[in-house]
Amino acid sequence: MPIITEARVVVTSPGRNFVTLKVVCDDGTTGVGDATLNGRELAVASYLADHIVPCLIGRDAHRIEDIWQYLYKGAYWRRGPVTMTAIAAVDMALWDIKGKVAGLPVYQLLGGASRDGCMVYGHANGATIADTVDAALRHRAEGYRAIRLQCGVPGLASTYGVARPGEAYEPADGTLPTESVWSTERYLRIVPELFAAAREALGPDIHLLHDVHHRLTPIEAARLGRDLEPYRPFWIEDPTPAENQDGFRLIRQHTTTPIAVGEVFNSIWDAKALIESQSIDYIRATVVHAGGITHLRRIAALADLYQVRTGCHGATDLSPVAMAAALHLGLAIPNFGIQELMPHLPVTQAVFPHAYRYADGSLHPGDAPGLGVDIDEALAATHPYVRAYLPVNRLEDGTLWSW
């Protein structure tokens, strides 16, 4: 049995900030886990280094479930994004070790492949509707069968999901939070126009998605869902803040547009009522913020009972370690739906060499033992941490709003 002798927390910023846990065993086997929490990275790094790593030394790395329960129940203060992200990092690293010891990719340990690959969706965005449609056409030419659409809102200086000209989109954009101005009325006018133009340009066979990003009330989200119905969206994501989960029942009463939610969820308890009431169609909890492979598999199993499929968050605030873990789980579970893909910058990919690969609109985790991803610690050390915050939104009258 591999005994944990060391665990290192690596903070690096190759294009953006990442936190990685590397677990080392007495037989030389190593495993990696992602511990990145966008805008609060150092909180997780401290939680790991100061509170979790000392508890790992001397433990049997094969006892994944027992260690998960120890870290979750043993802390007494359960759940929360910092705790669950730290637990996720340990969990990923232990699955990576188990796969390497077995000589198998992790998806084989989870029951084997349920499909040939994981369909992904790319991000098409632009300052105008025309710019976004052009970006969507480029994605289609690259083989994407599912594309998220985000465009600028006339009269607003900046909008979530829209990159600066010539740059890749990165939401964490300042050493202090930048402030954006938001208008629900302007937004609700432009999105149906965007979908009408995209459906006309792309035809009926491309899946079209959109991220509302928590900014609407339930009845406003219901109105948007109904307005988009003629264009057959694959989903609208995070249409309203999920703290008031009854709001999703209200949306469901008024529209047949599918609903996705959960990228900010960190446990099965966040998703339980939404899944059991069938108020959502896709659960977007992610492997790094929801307790790792062990816990996300539980969420997926619950969702499967109610015909809810997965659609895991996959923005660039997840390192290639988390993407690999999501792909292994997604390939194995029966109710996989889709995987978000924001390709990492070349500088990021150099720090995190990986085996997963893209082809024809899908990703496959590869067949390397374990997760098939690692961190080049020497190269990571050349990219020091840079403080970066996510923006905040205010209404035109100055009221703070969901970003």
Side-chain angles (χ1 to χ4, degrees), residues 22-346:
K22 189 155 194 173
V23 176
V24 182
C25 296
D26 60 348
D27 63 356
T29 308
T30 64
V32 289
D34 189 6
T36 307
L37 183 62
N38 200 354
R40 296 294 185 270
E41 298 92 350
L42 297 185
V44 185
S46 173
Y47 192 101
L48 281 167
D50 298 330
H51 303 294
I52 284 186
V53 167
C55 297
L56 295 177
I57 306 305
R59 293 187 179 273
D60 178 359
H62 276 332
R63 298 185 63 172
I64 297 175
E65 181 66 38
D66 182 68
I67 290 174
W68 196 98
Q69 296 294 339
Y70 178 84
L71 296 176
Y72 180 80
K73 294 179 178 177
Y76 184 71
W77 310 106
R78 301 180 186 182
R79 301 190 288 161
V82 173
T83 295
M84 297 303 283
T85 300
I87 292 174
V90 176
D91 189 75
M92 281 181 256
L94 297 184
W95 278 105
D96 192 21
I97 289 168
K98 188 176 285 289
K100 289 174 180 175
V101 171
L104 293 170
V106 167
Y107 76 83
Q108 294 288 16
L109 303 180
L110 298 173
S114 292
R115 56 197 51 81
D116 296 329
C118 297
M119 182 173 70
V120 296
Y121 69 89
H123 288 204
N125 68 84
T128 66
I129 289 175
D131 291 339
T132 302
V133 171
D134 285 345
L137 290 169
R138 291 194 296 273
H139 277 75
R140 186 179 67 176
E142 294 169 0
Y144 286 88
R145 291 170 283 141
I147 303 168
R148 193 183 86 166
L149 306 172
Q150 310 288 146
C151 77
V153 177
L156 302 184
S158 62
T159 306
Y160 164 79
V162 178
R164 296 187 181 97
E167 298 181 14
Y169 179 64
E170 171 52 59
D173 63 355
T175 56
L176 288 174
T178 57
E179 296 199 3
S180 304
V181 175
W182 175 251
S183 168
T184 298
E185 295 78 12
R186 298 172 192 263
Y187 168 79
L188 288 175
R189 286 196 295 267
I190 195 69
V191 176
E193 296 177 16
L194 169 64
F195 267 72
R199 184 55 76 198
E200 181 177 359
L202 295 165
D205 296 329
I206 297 294
H207 299 303
L208 302 180
L209 303 82
H210 178 70
D211 187 358
V212 182
H213 220 249
H214 320 277
R215 292 170 297 184
L216 300 180
T217 66
I219 201 65
E220 290 167 346
R223 182 187 309 159
L224 176 63
R226 180 173 289 182
D227 287 346
L228 295 181
E229 284 178 8
Y231 314 112
R232 310 293 288 185
F234 187 90
W235 76 35
I236 56 172
E237 174 188 341
D238 291 333
T240 193
E243 289 91 340
N244 174 21
Q245 298 197 349
D246 282 344
F248 286 81
R249 301 189 191 198
L250 179 61
I251 298 171
R252 186 68 101 196
Q253 291 171 9
H254 294 284
T255 181
T256 59
T257 292
I259 299 168
V261 73
E263 71 179 42
V264 300
F265 289 179
N266 54 73
S267 85
I268 197 169
W269 304 106
D270 295 323
K272 180 176 182 290
L274 288 170
I275 290 170
E276 291 178 340
S277 66
Q278 300 181 72
S279 297
I280 61 173
D281 303 280
Y282 294 89
I283 180 65
R284 283 186 37 76
T286 182
V287 66
V288 67
H289 300 142
I293 292 171
T294 295
H295 195 63
L296 189 57
R297 184 165 60 159
R298 290 196 183 96
I299 296 173
L302 174 65
D304 189 37
L305 297 178
Y306 296 91
Q307 296 181 294
V308 173
R309 291 186 286 177
T310 64
C312 291
H313 179 62
T316 49
D317 59 349
L318 282 69
S319 84
V321 178
M323 177 59 75
L327 292 172
H328 281 279
L329 182 62
L331 196 69
I333 59 175
N335 59 322
F336 170 82
I338 198 168
Q339 171 64 52
E340 181 179 17
L341 173 62
M342 286 179 66
H344 290 103
L345 297 172

